[in-house]
Amino acid sequence: MEGRKVTVAALQFACSDDVSFNVSTAERLVRAAHKKGANIILIQELFEGYYFCQAQREEFFQRAKPYKGHPTIVRMQKLAKELGVVIPVSFFEEANNAHYNSVAVIDADGTDLGLYRKSHIPDGPGYEEKFYFNPGDTGFKVFQTKFAKIGVGICWDQWFPEAARAMVLQGAEVLFYPTAIGSEPQDEGLDSRDHWKRVMQGHAGANVVPLVASNRIGKETIETEHGKSQITFYGNSFIAGPTGEIVASADDKEEAVIVAEFDLAKIKYKRCSWGVFRDRRPELYKVLLTLDGGNTS
C-alpha cells in the first residue's frame, strides 16, 4: 500500500487587542510549526484581536474588512508561499451590508483557494455572535490543497455532527476547526472543555478522519453594555486521529505548537473497510431536514 503522509499542526496563543502584534505572533508560530515539519497549519479563530463578541457594541463592526485584499490574508499568502505550507486564515469579513465569521484557505503556493463562512452562529452570555455575524451562505465546503483535501468548520460548527459528515462526504481527508472558547461569564461553575473535546473526537471517530482544533488561551475583558465581561480561554488545542484518539494536545495556559503525522492512504482504506459510508441510508435521514422531527413528507 503506497503511503501518502501529511503533517498537520495547531497553534495556540493568547491574543492582545493589537492586530499587528497578533498577526506577528501567528506568523512566528507558523514558522515554528514549519520547522517541526508541518504541511497544514491551523491558526485559532479571529486571532487578529480580542474575542469581541462578549459585547454588543456597534463600533466593533469597524474590525471587519472585505475578503479581497484583506491585509492579514495577503500576509499569510506570502508566508504560505515562502514556507510551502497550507494555512486556513480566520477573519471578520465585511461583504457590503453583510458580515461573516469566515476562513480563507491558502494553499502551499500562496493561492487563495476560496472562502468558508461560519454556518452555525451562537448567541449566549459572552458569546453574542448573532449581533455581528450573518449565518454563512457558502454551505459546507472542502478544499483541495497540495497535501490533502480538507474541510474547515469554525468553532460553534464543531458541535454539529452534520457539518463534519457533510465535509467528509465531499471527500475531506482531515477536518480543521479554528476556535475561541473558554469560561462562561454567567456561570463560573460551567466548564465545557472536556465536553468540547469529546464531541470533536466523536466526529473524527465517526467519520474515520483526523481532526485538528486550535483554541486561544488567556483572559480577555471586554466592556459591555452591562459592565465588564471576562472570559478565560482554556486552550487545550488538540489533534485527534481517525478513531477519535488524541495524538497531540496542549494545556490550558501555555503558548503551543502541536503537530502530528498521518498516512492518508492507510486511513482511506481503513475508512472504506470500516463500512460507515458504505452502510449509510440517506433515504431514511429526511428527519434531519426538519427542526422539530415532525412531518418529513
Side-chain angles (χ1 to χ4, degrees):
M1 184 187 302
E2 184 178 349
R4 188 161 64 88
K5 294 183 178 180
V6 63
T7 299
V8 297
L11 310 185
Q12 174 174 295
F13 59 95
C15 289
S16 72
D17 212 23
D18 182 304
V19 174
S20 178
F21 179 83
N22 295 326
V23 175
S24 293
T25 299
E27 177 172 338
R28 172 173 58 82
L29 295 179
V30 166
R31 292 184 182 279
H34 172 254
K35 287 183 179 179
K36 291 187 173 187
N39 307 122
I40 308 174
I41 302 168
L42 183 64
I43 311 171
Q44 60 214 31
E45 182 187 18
L46 298 173
F47 63 91
E48 291 182 295
Y50 280 164
Y51 178 74
F52 53 88
C53 306
Q54 290 193 64
Q56 296 187 15
R57 289 170 53 180
E58 64 182 36
E59 66 266 29
F60 284 169
F61 282 101
Q62 298 174 34
R63 297 172 180 240
K65 292 184 176 64
Y67 169 38
K68 295 301 181 183
H70 191 291
T72 298
I73 296 174
V74 170
R75 181 167 172 176
M76 290 299 157
Q77 286 181 273
K78 293 176 181 177
L79 182 63
K81 183 176 182 179
E82 175 192 342
L83 301 179
V85 298
V86 174
I87 310 174
V89 181
S90 171
F91 68 105
F92 184 13
E93 181 193 0
E94 176 188 272
N96 295 321
N97 288 303
H99 296 82
Y100 299 98
N101 186 338
S102 300
V103 165
V105 176
I106 309 304
D107 207 357
D109 62 356
T111 300
D112 181 350
L113 296 178
L115 186 71
Y116 169 70
R117 291 168 169 165
K118 187 173 182 176
S119 301
H120 303 97
I121 311 299
D123 185 43
Y127 301 90
E128 300 178 31
E129 295 195 14
K130 279 186 167 64
F131 182 75
Y132 296 100
F133 307 131
N134 294 83
D137 59 359
T138 59
F140 305 113
K141 300 175 68 173
V142 297
F143 301 88
Q144 180 63 67
T145 75
K146 177 180 178 180
F147 302 106
K149 198 170 187 180
I150 68 172
V152 181
I154 303 172
C155 202
W156 193 230
D157 288 332
Q158 66 208 358
W159 294 89
F160 295 84
E162 299 90 343
R165 178 54 54 89
M167 290 185 281
V168 181
L169 276 171
Q170 295 177 78
E173 298 172 293
V174 188
L175 297 176
F176 292 83
Y177 291 96
T179 302
I181 189 169
S183 60
E184 303 289 338
Q186 84 286 3
D187 185 352
E188 293 181 358
L190 178 58
D191 184 351
S192 63
R193 179 191 61 185
D194 291 341
H195 186 186
W196 171 76
K197 293 170 77 171
R198 284 192 294 264
V199 167
M200 283 187 283
Q201 288 175 257
H203 299 335
N207 291 288
V208 197
V209 294
L211 183 149
V212 183
S214 171
N215 187 26
R216 67 177 66 195
I217 53 171
K219 186 177 292 185
E220 298 181 13
T221 302
I222 297 288
E223 191 70 46
T224 80
E225 63 275 25
H226 305 299
K228 293 185 186 303
S229 176
Q230 186 175 89
I231 295 177
T232 301
F233 294 92
Y234 53 60
N236 276 263
S237 302
F238 71 93
I239 301 170
T243 66
E245 76 281 18
I246 291 182
V247 298
S249 61
D251 64 18
D252 62 351
K253 293 182 176 63
E254 299 298 323
E255 181 178 284
V257 175
I258 58 172
V259 300
E261 182 184 77
F262 297 102
D263 188 326
L264 298 181
K266 288 184 178 179
I267 293 171
K268 173 184 176 180
Y269 295 119
K270 175 63 71 176
R271 187 163 54 249
C272 292
S273 67
W274 202 245
V276 290
F277 287 89
R278 178 197 65 207
D279 296 338
R280 292 184 69 253
R281 297 289 306 279
E283 73 277 12
L284 302 181
Y285 304 156
K286 292 179 182 178
V287 68
L288 296 178
L289 300 178
T290 73
L291 288 176
D292 64 357
N295 187 359
T296 60
S297 60

